[in-house]
Amino acid sequence: MSRIISPHDPALRVMGRIDDGNPDRPVWVFPYTQMSFRFTGTTLSLTVINHHDYGDSRIGVIIDGTPYCIRIPIDSRPVTLTLASHLPDIEHEATIYKRQDGEHYLELLWLAIDDSAEIQPPSVPEPARRIEIYGDSVSAGERDEAVLYAGACDPDVDLSPYSNSWLSYGAIAARKLGAQLHDIAQGGASLLDGIGWFHAPNYIGMESIWDRIEYNPSLGPTRQWDFSRYTPHVVIVAIGQNDSHPNDFMAQEYDGDAARHWRARYADFLRALRGHYPKALIICTTTVLKHDPSWDHAIDETVNTVDDPNIVHFLYSRNGSATPGHPRVQEHEEMANELVGFIRSHGDDIWSD
C-alpha cells in the first residue's frame, strides 16, 4: 500500500514557470522546473504522462544530497517512475526537477510514498532572491554531462540523456547566490522566428517563447504566461548564438538589412522585458560557445542604444571562444563563477523588491 500525494499538496514547494491551470495535473515545460519536500519512509515514486517530441526523456531527483537520473518511457499513457526504494526508514529531503527543455512536457499526476509515511515542506526557507534566464541550449544545460567531450565538438549521436539543467551555469549561479530561478531556455532557440535550430523547418525563436507557458506546436497549442506570478530581480538574456543559422548575416554584413533588423528586434525585446520588470537588472550576454564576435558587438551596440542604466552587457573571459561543442559541466562552472562575480559587483540593493 502507498500513500498518494497530490501535486498541489501544500507541503510541496514548486519553482518554475509551470502550467498549473489544472492544479491536479500540472505540466512542467521548462528546464529546472522543480518541487522540493521532505518525506519519511523507504520509497518514493512519481506517476506522470510524458508528452514527447524528440530526444530521450529523463527526470532528475536529488535525495538526501545524492543525485539520480531516471529514464521516462516514451508512452502517451501514465507511467510510474520509481525514484527511490529501500531507503532507510528515516526523514529524507528530496527535489524532483526537469532535466531537459521543451523536447518534452511532463504532466504530473501524483507522488506516492509509504502508506504510513509523512510529507513535510523543505527544511530550508524559500529563497527571497529571484532570477530569470532567457536562453538557448547552453542555458538549458543541454549535453553538459558529456564531460569527456569538454572543449570538443559534439559527437554525431543523441546526447539528450546527458542534458542536465541542474548543472547549467544559471542553476549553479542561482544556488550560489541563494536565489530562485525560472529558466526560460530552449535548445536551438534564436531570437527571431524563421532562423535558428528549434522546430525545423519552421523555426521558432525566443520571440514566440518568452511570454508563453507552453510554446512547442508539436505538443499542442501555445498558452500565455501571467507575468504577475513571478517578478525577478535579475534577468539574464543569453540569446544571439543560434541566429547565425542558416546564414551568419551579422558576421557577413554587419550593416546589412538583416543585421540592422536583428538589432532593432533585440532592442524591442529588451524594452518588452523592461515593461514587465521595471526594476530588474537585465544582463545581456552570450556564452563561451564558439560564435562570431560580431554578435557580441551587436548586443553591445544595442544595449547602448536602449540607454537604460539597469540594462548591461556582460562578457565571459572566454566568451565565444571556449568550445565548438556544447559547454560541459566544467565550462558551466566557469561561467557560473564569473556570472556570480558580475552580479555581486552590482551590490545587494539589486535584490530589493
Side-chain angles (χ1 to χ4, degrees):
M1 294 291 292
S2 297
R3 179 183 174 192
I4 300 301
I5 307 297
S6 166
H8 65 83
D9 189 287
L12 305 176
R13 179 196 298 159
V14 298
M15 185 177 75
R17 188 181 284 190
I18 297 170
D19 178 359
D20 54 6
N22 180 351
D24 291 321
R25 302 177 74 142
V27 178
W28 289 4
V29 173
F30 292 98
Y32 203 59
T33 302
Q34 60 189 258
M35 63 168 64
S36 298
F37 54 94
R38 286 177 292 161
F39 71 101
T40 59
T42 63
T43 64
L44 176 66
S45 66
L46 176 66
T47 299
V48 301
I49 297 175
N50 187 30
H51 301 274
H52 177 265
D53 184 12
Y54 60 91
D56 191 349
S57 304
R58 307 289 172 112
I59 193 169
V61 60
I62 299 173
I63 298 178
D64 299 333
T66 300
Y68 303 92
C69 173
I70 295 91
R71 186 175 185 272
I72 311 171
I74 299 174
D75 194 329
S76 60
R77 299 167 299 179
V79 295
T80 296
L81 309 173
T82 299
L83 304 182
S85 62
H86 302 96
L87 294 170
D89 190 6
I90 57 174
E91 183 176 271
H92 309 281
E93 193 103 25
T95 295
I96 303 169
Y97 69 96
K98 193 168 188 284
R99 285 173 57 103
Q100 298 156 310
D101 59 16
E103 67 183 57
H104 74 119
Y105 295 171
L106 201 58
E107 184 177 357
L108 276 59
L109 302 183
W110 60 80
L111 285 164
I113 57 178
D114 292 349
D115 185 50
S116 59
E118 298 294 330
I119 190 164
Q120 297 182 43
S123 60
V124 296
E126 182 176 57
R129 296 177 173 184
R130 298 179 297 276
I131 298 174
E132 189 164 67
I133 291 177
Y134 294 90
D136 53 28
S137 59
V138 181
S139 297
E142 189 169 317
R143 309 178 189 180
D144 57 358
E145 288 187 329
V147 294
L148 290 181
Y149 290 85
C153 294
D154 297 340
D156 191 19
V157 295
D158 179 17
L159 288 182
S160 55
Y162 290 89
S163 299
N164 187 355
S165 62
W166 191 270
L167 298 177
S168 67
Y169 73 93
I172 296 170
R175 293 194 297 272
K176 286 178 178 287
L177 291 164
Q180 301 179 54
L181 172 65
H182 280 203
D183 192 5
I184 313 305
Q186 171 58 51
S190 55
L191 169 65
L192 304 182
D193 293 341
I195 56 178
W197 298 91
F198 175 58
H199 197 62
N202 300 310
Y203 300 113
I204 295 173
M206 188 54 63
E207 65 179 356
S208 291
I209 297 173
W210 78 283
D211 60 352
R212 315 296 164 88
I213 194 169
E214 294 177 10
Y215 58 86
N216 186 341
S218 297
L219 297 177
T222 65
R223 294 193 58 200
Q224 294 295 125
W225 169 247
D226 179 1
F227 281 90
S228 68
R229 297 184 58 181
Y230 183 82
T231 303
H233 300 100
V234 175
V235 177
I236 299 162
V237 178
I239 48 178
Q241 300 175 137
N242 291 317
D243 296 75
S244 62
H245 181 264
N247 299 306
D248 197 348
F249 53 83
M250 199 66 71
Q252 295 164 358
E253 192 177 3
Y254 186 82
D255 291 318
D257 289 344
R260 288 188 289 107
H261 174 71
W262 189 92
R263 295 194 291 272
R265 296 283 284 278
Y266 191 93
D268 290 342
F269 182 61
L270 296 180
R271 294 186 184 104
L273 285 172
R274 176 59 75 218
H276 286 292
Y277 307 136
K279 295 178 60 178
L281 173 68
I282 300 177
I283 300 172
C284 301
T285 186
T286 50
T287 72
V288 301
L289 179 66
K290 280 189 177 179
H291 59 269
D292 192 274
S294 60
W295 291 95
D296 299 307
H297 178 55
I299 291 171
D300 194 65
E301 179 183 331
T302 306
V303 167
N304 290 330
T305 299
V306 172
D307 192 25
D308 181 326
N310 285 319
I311 299 180
V312 297
H313 185 207
F314 169 65
L315 292 170
Y316 297 96
S317 60
R318 296 199 296 158
N319 206 91
S321 63
T323 175
H326 281 82
R328 315 306 172 189
V329 174
Q330 303 97 309
E331 288 94 354
H332 279 277
E333 291 174 343
E334 172 188 334
M335 290 172 59
N337 289 333
E338 293 187 22
L339 182 60
V340 166
F342 182 73
I343 292 173
R344 283 177 173 162
S345 73
H346 287 79
D348 288 339
D349 289 344
I350 63 172
W351 304 110
S352 300
D353 288 323

